[in-house]
Amino acid sequence: AAFFGPVARGNPVVDSFETELRRVLSALRRLRGAGEAKPPQHDLHRHGLLAMPLFKLSFVAWIEIKPRLPEWYYNERLVKVGDTLVQIKEYKLALLQCYDRYLQQLVSVNLDDVMDDVQGFKSAFFPNGVRDKNAALTLHALQARNICIYQMVCSRDRNLQAQESLQTCLNALTSLRLTMQVALPQENLCWLIYNGTIHIYTICRHLMVMGQSAKVLEYLLWASICMESSIPLLSVHYLTWRATLYTAVSQCYFDCQAGVHGEIFARRGLIKIDELKRLEDISSSLERTETEKIFREATLKMSVMIFKRAVYECRRKSNSSRRESKVNPRKAANLSWPRTPTERLLVAMFDGAAAQLLAILEALADRSRNLLPPHPPVPEEIQIRDVTSELFSAGLEILSGNSLKKQKQENIFVITAGEKGVSGEAAVKFVKLAFSYEEWNVFYSALEFVDSFLQAQDDPTWKKAELELKLLTLMQPVVFPGKFDRSFSMSVDGNNKEGSTRRGSGKTQTIRSECCSESLKLGNPFRDLMNLATTAFSYVSTFEQNVHPDKEILVDVVMCLWQKCKTELQQIQMSGSHCLEYIHKHQAYQWVHILWIMNEIIVKSNIADTNVMFAEITLCLAAILENVADY
């Protein structure tokens, strides 16, 4: 290339090289687009089989052209192409053909073997020191390599069920921390520190959802301290992200049942934010309104984490022997907001409905609590149960808009994102929490406000939320048979013909499902089970993939059905060659029908690998069908 002049556009060697790269990357983008349009596993597998040889052929030419290009140009393009492949989610290609290829030029041993200590790491990758001109490129390639490894783990084991998958993620976090430790003393590498905190946060949040908060706490703490230790990252521009990291650390402490440390760290975060605010008041380079918004959001995040513990602890520490009576829902309209100690603390700490509801959601959130089975809190102190009830009562008051009216704010409550309203996402989460805590009065009352909002939306996100809440209303009579008579009108196609009414209004409400058998009458023991099964089946069969209920809820639905039907289905299975006689004698056709529906839901929603129990469901159906065939 040097023979033809400067290594830049117009150089025939460079132009030929760049043309070949653009051709291959364009082909990969088309393959990726086709794969996303057809999400089933066999299509994605076929996409991978096509992509890998195509890129390998390109790299044969790339290897041939390497001696004809300057080393610096070749290495920069190698890493840059890897970044492009990551953007189009070709993580395996980016790892093997770009980042590893570049890094293996620096070390001849296994890359993972030099990640044990910082000195060995430095001597292997930075023999000329971190100030070397290639140091930034090498650190970037190392960080990107870890992200590719993490994404590849997620593609084959999203729930990290294998211990090997979990350990690979932890190794990636350790490697990321090592790259940041090397880059931290160099201010010109602050962008690598910032990127590293994003990568660590991404992996840690996933592991926290999987119940691994204790193992990721140290990495989130490291990311937070790095943001404080890098002078360029201490500016207001990065404060929102720093507050997000502080919040994640506090949440980790709460997940580890160390709430006192979570509150202490949140208060420490408030102090750091206040220190920056005082400096900013002296000299501000941003618009005043912009900086005020940034500080307000950061302060809110910290205040929410403080409220998460304080709302319970202040009641524990109360020396008053007299318990304040709970709010009677019928008299709530005549009471002045705030009505309870919990509501008074909300008003004292937060301005506006959105912030208050966010604080309520965080105070009620508990990673150890699943949506199913629903159960009330079981604290040792009765005062804590009262706080939980008061939180739900306050949340319902906010959703109804009464709190805004009583605070004499200008706008009436609407479930939209904004300064004086709460987001639809937060409202949906509140309804799900009410279901999980068995706060049935709150659940149905809040569902009315939220359901009317969801039905008016056309966006797939809201349609998905609507389907999920409808499934919850159908699951309740299955989980608590005969205990509740509250239900909502619905149709399987998602178009509600009848509006919901308030509890005690005297209007009769029924759950309708067009897929249900007409032979199912009121009082039939299969009615609620069949309503739930056929409705869930219709949702995964008739709606687009982006509207399907979350897999977690579908897993709960199938497991709920299986637990209710398991005993009877196993009796049918054990009847062996007399299977048909047993089914006819005990009128058990509908049990088999529900079993078939469960299996169809598992297949159509791609949840077969999320629970080992699903294999038992499929085997049970296969055994019954074989017995029928052999009859």
Side-chain angles (χ1 to χ4, degrees):
F3 175 80
F4 295 99
V7 182
R9 183 177 298 178
N11 188 306
V13 177
V14 173
D15 288 348
S16 174
F17 175 64
E18 295 291 346
T19 300
E20 177 66 10
L21 281 181
R22 285 194 297 270
R23 183 187 68 82
V24 174
L25 292 175
S26 296
L28 286 173
R29 286 192 182 95
R30 289 195 297 271
L31 282 174
R32 171 57 60 178
E36 291 177 349
K38 298 179 180 180
Q41 286 297 109
H42 65 276
D43 290 318
L44 293 179
H45 179 64
R46 178 174 175 270
H47 158 72
L49 292 177
L50 290 172
M52 184 65 79
L54 177 64
F55 208 66
K56 280 185 176 179
L57 286 174
S58 168
F59 269 95
V60 170
W62 199 341
I63 293 172
E64 291 176 352
I65 203 172
K66 179 181 178 181
R68 303 166 62 187
L69 293 171
E71 183 180 5
W72 66 268
Y73 181 82
Y74 174 83
N75 288 337
E76 285 185 3
R77 294 305 294 149
L78 194 59
V79 174
K80 185 65 175 178
V81 170
D83 295 344
T84 303
L85 290 173
V86 168
Q87 290 176 2
I88 60 177
K89 300 181 180 180
E90 291 289 354
Y91 301 109
K92 187 174 183 178
L93 289 177
L95 175 67
L96 298 178
Q97 300 291 358
C98 295
Y99 301 127
D100 275 0
R101 184 182 293 272
Y102 167 74
L103 294 170
Q104 284 167 358
Q105 297 177 126
L106 306 177
V107 294
S108 56
V109 298
N110 189 327
L111 295 176
D112 295 323
D113 293 340
V114 294
M115 302 290 182
D116 296 334
D117 65 282
V118 67
Q119 293 304 324
F121 180 78
K122 284 183 177 180
S123 61
F125 291 105
F126 309 99
N128 299 323
V130 186
R131 295 181 182 275
D132 184 72
K133 60 180 180 180
N134 296 323
L137 188 66
T138 301
L139 287 169
H140 172 67
L142 285 165
Q143 288 187 347
R145 176 180 184 270
N146 287 296
I147 289 302
C148 288
I149 291 173
Y150 163 70
Q151 293 292 348
M152 289 167 62
V153 168
C154 291
S155 66
R156 65 174 182 266
D157 186 10
R158 181 67 189 176
N159 295 324
L160 306 179
Q161 295 175 330
Q163 181 62 31
E164 180 185 359
S165 300
L166 174 60
Q167 189 58 50
T168 301
C169 291
L170 294 176
N171 291 342
L173 287 170
T174 301
S175 180
L176 285 168
R177 182 172 59 185
L178 203 56
T179 62
M180 295 167 67
Q181 186 176 351
V182 171
L184 190 57
Q186 311 299 322
E187 284 193 13
N188 63 308
L189 300 181
C190 64
W191 61 278
L192 286 167
I193 300 299
Y194 179 71
N195 289 348
T197 62
I198 294 175
H199 299 327
I200 285 178
Y201 176 84
T202 300
I203 300 176
C204 287
R205 288 298 293 179
H206 183 190
L207 267 61
M208 288 171 68
V209 173
M210 297 295 107
Q212 303 295 335
S213 295
K215 294 182 179 179
V216 303
L217 174 59
E218 60 177 296
Y219 300 104
L220 287 170
L221 273 169
W222 167 260
S224 300
I225 300 304
C226 282
M227 289 292 294
E228 295 177 358
S229 303
S230 178
I231 294 178
L233 300 181
L234 286 174
S235 67
V236 178
H237 179 74
Y238 298 100
L239 179 60
T240 300
W241 176 243
R242 185 145 58 102
T244 299
L245 291 173
Y246 290 159
T247 303
V249 172
S250 294
Q251 184 61 58
C252 256
Y253 279 122
F254 281 106
D255 292 347
C256 298
Q257 305 302 314
V260 60
H261 295 292
E263 182 181 350
I264 290 173
F265 194 84
R267 292 185 182 279
R268 176 188 178 278
L270 270 182
I271 293 173
K272 295 292 184 181
I273 293 169
D274 187 60
E275 290 175 354
L276 181 60
K277 189 175 188 303
R278 288 201 299 269
L279 291 174
E280 196 65 23
D281 288 340
I282 298 174
S283 174
S284 177
S285 58
L286 297 176
E287 292 290 336
R288 177 65 59 180
T289 55
E290 183 180 351
T291 57
E292 287 178 353
K293 181 180 179 181
I294 292 173
F295 281 110
R296 185 167 61 250
E297 290 178 356
T299 302
L300 172 62
K301 289 179 181 180
M302 297 299 96
S303 299
V304 165
M305 302 312 295
I306 293 171
F307 178 84
K308 186 178 179 73
R309 179 173 181 269
V311 69
Y312 296 104
E313 289 303 313
C314 66
R315 192 68 62 89
R316 276 197 182 102
K317 296 176 181 178
S318 174
N319 294 323
S320 174
S321 60
R322 180 180 64 85
R323 290 174 53 207
E324 297 195 34
S325 59
K326 297 181 181 179
V327 178
N328 187 324
R330 295 182 179 180
K331 298 180 179 179
N334 300 322
L335 298 178
S336 175
W337 171 278
R339 306 161 298 180
T340 64
T342 298
E343 291 176 359
R344 286 192 282 273
L345 183 60
L346 272 173
V347 172
M349 292 185 65
F350 305 99
D351 294 326
Q356 291 167 359
L357 186 62
L358 176 61
I360 291 171
L361 294 177
E362 284 299 328
L364 292 170
D366 182 358
R367 292 193 188 279
S368 63
R369 170 182 291 273
N370 295 323
L371 195 59
L372 276 182
H375 57 279
V378 193
E380 296 179 358
E381 303 94 338
I382 192 65
Q383 292 88 346
I384 305 307
R385 295 177 66 94
D386 290 346
V387 172
T388 302
S389 296
E390 289 175 8
L391 286 168
F392 277 110
S393 177
L396 181 60
E397 191 76 356
I398 291 172
L399 288 181
S400 69
N402 291 334
S403 67
L404 293 183
K405 298 173 186 176
K406 292 171 183 177
Q407 294 178 67
K408 298 182 179 180
Q409 295 189 20
E410 295 178 3
N411 292 350
I412 301 300
F413 171 79
V414 289
I415 310 178
T416 55
E419 290 293 327
K420 299 188 178 180
V422 300
S423 68
E425 181 182 1
V428 170
K429 185 176 180 181
F430 179 79
V431 176
K432 290 180 179 179
L433 280 171
F435 181 92
S436 175
Y437 277 86
E438 291 187 23
E439 290 280 349
W440 302 121
N441 287 334
V442 175
F443 172 72
Y444 281 114
S445 297
L447 186 59
E448 294 172 27
F449 302 119
V450 177
D451 191 56
S452 60
F453 162 76
L454 294 176
Q455 291 184 45
Q457 311 303 314
D458 294 327
D459 188 271
T461 300
W462 303 121
K463 181 58 64 177
K464 176 180 179 179
E466 183 183 359
L467 301 186
E468 291 174 355
L469 294 183
K470 287 178 181 177
L471 285 178
L472 292 186
T473 63
L474 291 172
M475 288 171 71
Q476 189 207 38
V478 173
V479 178
F480 301 98
K483 192 173 181 180
F484 301 95
D485 59 356
R486 180 66 182 270
S487 57
F488 278 80
S489 169
M490 70 185 335
S491 63
V492 175
D493 62 2
N495 296 319
N496 291 42
K497 303 298 183 182
E498 302 176 26
S500 60
T501 58
R502 294 188 65 84
R503 188 179 183 90
S505 65
K507 295 187 179 180
T508 304
Q509 299 166 345
T510 57
I511 301 175
R512 294 185 176 86
S513 178
E514 296 176 0
C515 291
C516 290
S517 170
E518 293 182 1
S519 63
L520 297 178
K521 306 296 184 181
L522 288 175
N524 189 318
F526 303 103
R527 179 175 62 92
D528 293 329
L529 286 171
M530 188 62 79
N531 274 340
L532 176 59
T534 53
T535 302
F537 174 64
S538 70
Y539 289 168
V540 299
S541 301
T542 60
F543 287 99
E544 296 292 334
Q545 185 103 20
N546 62 342
V547 185
H548 286 184
D550 279 341
K551 288 187 177 182
E552 289 77 8
I553 289 184
L554 292 174
V555 168
D556 288 340
V557 168
V558 174
M559 293 303 298
C560 178
L561 292 170
W562 175 243
Q563 293 301 323
K564 295 295 181 180
C565 304
K566 181 177 181 179
T567 302
E568 188 65 30
L569 288 168
Q570 288 179 336
Q571 290 292 330
I572 298 173
Q573 181 181 351
M574 289 187 295
S575 63
S577 59
H578 302 287
C579 178
L580 276 180
E581 294 178 9
Y582 182 94
I583 292 174
H584 180 72
K585 179 180 179 180
H586 296 277
Q587 295 293 308
Y589 302 102
Q590 293 177 91
W591 292 115
V592 180
H593 185 196
I594 291 176
L595 177 62
W596 176 83
I597 291 175
M598 281 190 281
N599 191 69
E600 287 297 302
I601 293 173
I602 293 171
V603 173
K604 291 182 178 295
S605 58
N606 296 318
I607 59 174
D609 60 345
T610 59
N611 195 306
V612 68
M613 193 67 69
F614 292 158
E616 184 179 354
I617 295 173
T618 302
L619 289 173
C620 181
L621 177 62
I624 292 175
L625 294 178
E626 285 181 359
N627 290 336
V628 171
D630 294 340
Y631 182 72

